[in-house]
């Protein structure tokens, strides 16, 4: 993946999330996706979600519960067969999400890491 390809992927991924179109979001992921997130652990009891059906259920509920969800892309970091997207969410948190790509070009493994939510005085 070139820098330009990584940036194009990042832009499309952010736009998919900001559109709240669940199928558009899921189109980036392989059927065998493994997704790790501390937020998933809080919401569904497991920080490891496996497969598109698990993501569809988790993210579908999340999108419904958070109609103001938006992501602002801050940085794109390219690695070997992976990218890390640094972005800010609607809660003011900085998020680093690393996506590992499989042979199909879709994400097979993803890790989301968050800063503590910003508190309002």
């Amino acid at each position: 993946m070139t820098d330009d390809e990584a940036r194009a992927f990042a832009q499309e991924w952010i736009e998919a999330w900001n559109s709240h179109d669940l199928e558009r979001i899921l189109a980036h992921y392989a059927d065998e996706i493994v997704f790790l997130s501390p937020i998933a652990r809080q919401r569904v009891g497991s920080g490891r979600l496996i497969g598109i059906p698990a993501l569809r259920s988790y993210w579908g509920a999340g999108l419904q519960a958070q109609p103001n969800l938006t992501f602002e892309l801050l940085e794109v970091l390219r690695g070997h067969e992976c990218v890390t997207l640094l972005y800010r969410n609607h809660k003011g948190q900085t998020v680093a999400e690393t996506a590992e790509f499989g042979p199909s070009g879709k994400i097979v493994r993803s890790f989301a890491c968050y800063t503590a939510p910003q508190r309002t005085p």
Side-chain angles (χ1 to χ4, degrees):
M1 179 179 285
T2 67
D3 285 337
D4 287 342
E5 290 168 335
R7 287 185 211 291
F9 166 82
Q11 192 61 45
E12 164 49 29
W13 188 88
I14 291 286
E15 288 173 7
W17 275 100
N18 288 344
S19 76
H20 291 214
D21 181 339
L22 182 57
E23 295 309 311
R24 183 177 172 191
I25 294 164
L26 291 170
H28 296 96
Y29 297 87
D31 291 341
E32 68 275 14
I33 178 66
V34 175
F35 177 69
L36 304 176
S37 167
I39 305 299
R41 185 167 186 247
Q42 291 171 2
R43 293 199 176 143
V44 298
S46 176
R48 178 183 304 268
L49 301 174
I50 300 172
I52 292 293
L55 286 186
R56 181 177 283 112
S57 176
Y58 171 63
W59 285 338
L63 287 168
Q64 276 192 330
Q66 300 180 75
N68 297 331
L69 183 136
T70 56
F71 296 160
E72 173 194 358
L73 185 62
L74 302 174
E75 194 68 53
V76 179
L77 306 160
R78 183 174 56 94
H80 176 70
E81 298 178 359
C82 65
V83 296
T84 297
L85 307 181
L86 188 64
Y87 59 93
R88 185 170 294 114
N89 68 19
H90 62 295
K91 296 178 181 178
Q93 292 173 291
T94 301
V95 183
E97 190 152 341
T98 299
E100 177 186 345
F101 298 94
S104 69
K106 293 190 175 198
I107 301 168
V108 294
R109 195 165 172 86
S110 184
F111 307 83
C113 302
Y114 302 81
T115 60
Q118 290 186 350
R119 301 193 197 309
T120 53

